[in-house]
Amino acid sequence: MSGSAAPKPFEEIATRLGLPFQAEIHDADIESVWLSRLPLAFTKANLLLPLRIEDGVLLVAMGDPSNLLALDELQGAVNTPVQAIVSPPEEVLSAINRLYARHSGSAQEVVAELEADELSTVASQFNRPQDLLDLTDEAPVIRLLNSILFQAVKERASDIHIEPFEREVDVRFRIDGILYKMLSPPKLVQESLTSRVKIMAGLNIAEKRLPQDGRFRVIVAGRDVDIRVSIIPTFFGERTVLRILDKQRGVLSLTDIGLPARENVVIERLLTRTSGIILVTGPTGSGKTTTLYSALTTINSPDKNIITIEDPIEYQLPGVGQIQVNPKIDLTFANGLRSILRQDPDIIMVGEIRDAETAEIAMQASLTGHLVLSTLHTNDSPTAITRLIDMGIEPFMVASTLSAVLAQRLVRRICPHCIEEYRPEREYAGITLPDRLFRGKGCERCFNLGTTGRTGIYELLPIDAELCSMIIRRTSAKEIKEYALSKGMRTLRDDGLQKAFAGATTLEEVLRVTQDDYADISL
């Protein structure tokens, strides 16, 4: 026995039962015709997946080979002799989710299947008063929304926009920060589709005049997905936006989000302090909250009391107390922050500094021995300093509490499966280019977009003694930036260009997300 690896548990089971063993299930092993003949619920409940016909026998991967009843039921359903192959349960389940997701109908196909008689039934219900709950029980509407959700998760969308217009309804997905029009379902299903979303989110289906917010959870292809719902009234009906939070993605480390090594070292050093404020700035949707979560994960340990106040809570962090802002009961950032200070925290995260009151309390918390992390809406890091002063915070308070400002944007990553080199012009938009750059051709894996996922580009401004003096003198953001550049600060564009030259993103993408910072607009 020496020198030979011990067999794995499922190999032992296969050997005892006299059955073949298959550790991995590849797409090429499977004849897709069998997927359409078996319901997804049956295959998942019994952990079995039909593979292919060999010598007149259907080979079936089974995570539970002792389930002979399910095997007999399968044989009766397909009217073909079957032979079990033992595979690890997690491998069978993963293959089921992957393959059924690929062969399920798209939302566009579901729209096409809405037959004329079904639409006429829906239309007749709009012509007379009826309980909206009954209306949303129509199978086509439920099937349409389910297929939209399924397709959005499959295509890595972060948001779904359902937008009513005079004669049509548009459904758009935001994928890697860009909106794409996916389908236009019939105008007749607009209200029932919105009502179905309201029911799932626990909202008032009779209220159509006021904005409503809610959330619900669904399981999509074995993945636990949290969906935030925002509904607002518009002239042509209620507009719905669904924010998709895939819990399986989890919280990334500072390195995973694209923070360069040099800036990472500085941030990690600042996170070991017992006081001070670290601000993350950028426009909406630039990944600020993700960066704060990554920072908290870096310093989270049993000996630290970490409390956050957020709007909304996007991910649950183990070992961290998280408070959801609720303006209806006057639980604002400022009021919540006051209460947090009575909970003996070591580290506080404030989702966003929106007003002078919140900023002042955060700075007082920092002065009394708390490390505070928060976000602010500014285009670059130097502007964050002048923004705080413009909000009414005394310059000496800003200078004595602020540790660093990290500005950021998100850029789309080049798809690793279809990346290609090309020779650019020597100069573009005033930038001297290297001999080669990279782009994505577009392939099946990235839905022919050429990009998959996003990474961050960053601009870190640590506050030193000279900057403290400049802040107290109310120095302009332009002068602060010039000083920071002289001390070696890399701008957002500098970091973006480095990532483009290394093949992480494209030159056009970097210029797209940083153009506002370099716009020279004169009237």
Side-chain angles (χ1 to χ4, degrees):
M1 293 294 291
S2 62
S4 63
K8 296 179 180 177
F10 291 102
E11 290 182 74
E12 293 178 351
I13 293 172
T15 302
R16 286 202 306 268
L17 295 175
L19 297 173
F21 174 77
Q22 185 169 327
E24 295 182 354
I25 301 173
H26 302 286
D27 294 2
D29 298 333
I30 298 164
E31 295 173 353
S32 58
V33 65
W34 302 107
L35 302 179
S36 60
R37 298 180 62 177
L38 289 175
L40 173 63
F42 175 78
T43 59
K44 291 184 78 168
N46 295 290
L47 278 177
L48 58 80
L49 181 65
L51 301 179
R52 61 193 177 277
I53 292 281
E54 282 190 6
D55 300 326
V57 177
L58 176 61
L59 302 182
V60 182
M62 296 192 71
D64 180 11
S66 64
N67 191 351
L68 300 179
L69 187 61
L71 204 59
D72 290 341
E73 198 173 338
L74 171 64
Q75 182 167 313
V78 299
N79 196 26
T80 303
V82 296
Q83 167 68 54
I85 295 176
V86 180
S87 290
E90 62 274 10
E91 180 66 19
V92 176
L93 187 59
S94 173
I96 289 171
N97 287 330
R98 185 175 70 248
L99 290 154
Y100 273 86
R102 186 170 302 161
H103 291 88
S104 66
S106 67
Q108 188 64 58
E109 290 170 342
V110 175
V111 170
E113 290 172 8
L114 289 171
E115 298 175 353
D117 59 338
E118 290 175 327
L119 288 178
S120 63
T121 302
V122 176
S124 66
Q125 291 175 331
F126 280 117
N127 293 332
R128 64 177 186 274
Q130 185 151 359
D131 189 343
L132 285 176
L133 185 60
D134 294 335
L135 179 61
T136 55
D137 277 341
E138 286 293 316
V141 173
I142 296 173
R143 196 150 42 91
L144 175 59
L145 180 59
N146 289 348
S147 64
I148 290 172
L149 293 173
F150 190 91
Q151 188 173 341
V153 172
K154 187 167 68 172
E155 299 190 9
R156 314 181 322 274
S158 61
D159 299 86
I160 303 169
H161 292 242
I162 304 175
E163 304 163 325
F165 298 102
E166 183 177 7
R167 299 182 182 278
E168 60 184 7
V169 179
D170 284 348
V171 176
R172 297 195 290 171
F173 292 174
R174 188 178 293 279
I175 302 173
D176 295 337
I178 306 296
L179 277 171
Y180 299 92
K181 183 175 176 179
M182 305 305 292
L183 70 154
S184 294
K187 180 73 172 175
L188 293 170
V189 301
Q190 171 188 317
E191 292 193 27
S192 55
L193 189 60
T194 304
S195 296
R196 177 62 184 169
V197 173
K198 287 181 179 179
I199 289 170
M200 294 182 74
L203 303 178
N204 183 357
I205 60 175
E207 179 57 74
K208 299 182 181 180
R209 301 164 300 168
L210 296 173
Q212 296 190 69
D213 295 309
R215 67 194 308 159
F216 61 89
R217 288 174 60 188
V218 290
I219 303 294
V220 180
R223 295 156 72 177
D224 189 356
V225 178
D226 198 359
I227 297 179
R228 290 207 321 261
V229 178
S230 172
I231 299 177
I232 60 170
T234 66
F235 188 77
F236 294 113
E238 292 176 291
R239 183 187 182 111
T240 303
V241 175
L242 309 176
R243 167 64 59 87
I244 300 172
L245 302 171
D246 189 347
K247 294 188 174 182
Q248 275 190 221
R249 293 179 188 171
V251 178
L252 302 173
S253 69
L254 289 171
T255 304
D256 292 336
I257 63 175
L259 192 66
R262 189 182 74 170
E263 284 75 7
N264 197 352
V265 169
V266 177
I267 288 292
E268 289 188 350
R269 187 177 71 245
L270 293 174
L271 289 172
T272 61
R273 292 185 177 180
T274 56
S275 63
I277 296 179
I278 300 173
L279 285 179
V280 181
T281 75
T284 302
S286 59
K288 299 186 296 296
T289 303
T290 299
T291 299
L292 290 183
Y293 281 167
S294 299
L296 289 180
T297 302
T298 301
I299 56 178
N300 188 11
S301 62
D303 62 329
K304 291 187 176 68
N305 181 20
I306 303 176
I307 305 179
T308 74
I309 179 160
E310 308 171 53
D311 183 24
I313 297 172
E314 295 194 4
Y315 292 98
Q316 283 76 46
L317 301 176
V320 176
Q322 296 173 269
I323 302 171
Q324 169 69 56
V325 165
N326 189 348
K328 293 179 182 177
I329 57 173
D330 203 29
L331 179 53
T332 60
F333 279 112
N335 291 339
L337 190 50
R338 287 192 187 94
S339 300
I340 287 174
L341 293 174
R342 294 191 285 271
Q343 289 282 316
D344 185 32
D346 297 302
I347 300 159
I348 300 169
M349 185 190 107
V350 183
E352 183 184 342
I353 292 179
R354 296 178 178 173
D355 50 48
E357 185 182 14
T358 305
E360 193 167 339
I361 299 169
M363 290 183 175
Q364 287 172 354
S366 169
L367 287 173
T368 53
H370 304 90
L371 179 63
V372 180
L373 311 180
S374 190
T375 70
L376 197 65
H377 285 280
T378 62
N379 282 337
D380 59 10
S381 48
T383 311
I385 296 170
T386 54
R387 169 77 177 126
L388 288 170
I389 295 172
D390 290 343
M391 289 170 69
I393 308 301
E394 291 294 335
F396 76 87
M397 182 77 82
V398 177
S400 57
T401 58
L402 196 59
S403 298
V405 183
L406 181 70
Q408 68 176 74
R409 299 286 191 280
L410 291 177
V411 293
R412 291 177 289 174
R413 284 181 177 274
I414 299 174
C415 174
H417 303 286
C418 62
I419 188 171
E420 65 173 3
E421 294 182 15
Y422 71 98
R423 185 176 293 276
E425 299 288 337
R426 292 301 300 163
E427 189 173 305
Y428 180 79
I431 302 167
T432 302
L433 301 178
D435 292 334
R436 61 174 190 169
L437 282 175
F438 304 87
R439 61 191 173 199
K441 292 187 293 185
C443 65
E444 216 175 86
R445 300 282 190 95
C446 63
F447 306 103
N448 293 313
L449 298 176
T451 58
T452 175
R454 289 188 287 178
T455 189
I457 58 174
Y458 300 91
E459 175 183 286
L460 178 62
L461 175 64
I463 306 300
D464 59 17
E466 179 60 29
L467 271 177
C468 286
S469 300
M470 296 175 74
I471 293 169
I472 292 172
R473 296 196 304 269
R474 296 178 181 264
T475 305
S476 69
K478 182 180 178 182
E479 292 178 83
I480 290 174
K481 186 167 188 174
E482 289 172 354
Y483 169 77
L485 290 173
S486 72
K487 300 296 286 186
M489 182 186 80
R490 283 191 299 203
T491 65
L492 287 164
R493 179 166 286 186
D494 292 338
D495 187 34
L497 290 175
Q498 285 198 8
K499 288 183 168 70
F501 297 164
T505 186
T506 65
L507 175 65
E508 292 76 15
E509 182 71 3
V510 172
L511 297 179
R512 180 183 69 85
V513 301
T514 60
Q515 62 182 345
D516 291 343
D517 305 314
Y518 294 85
D520 184 14
I521 300 174
S522 56
L523 297 178

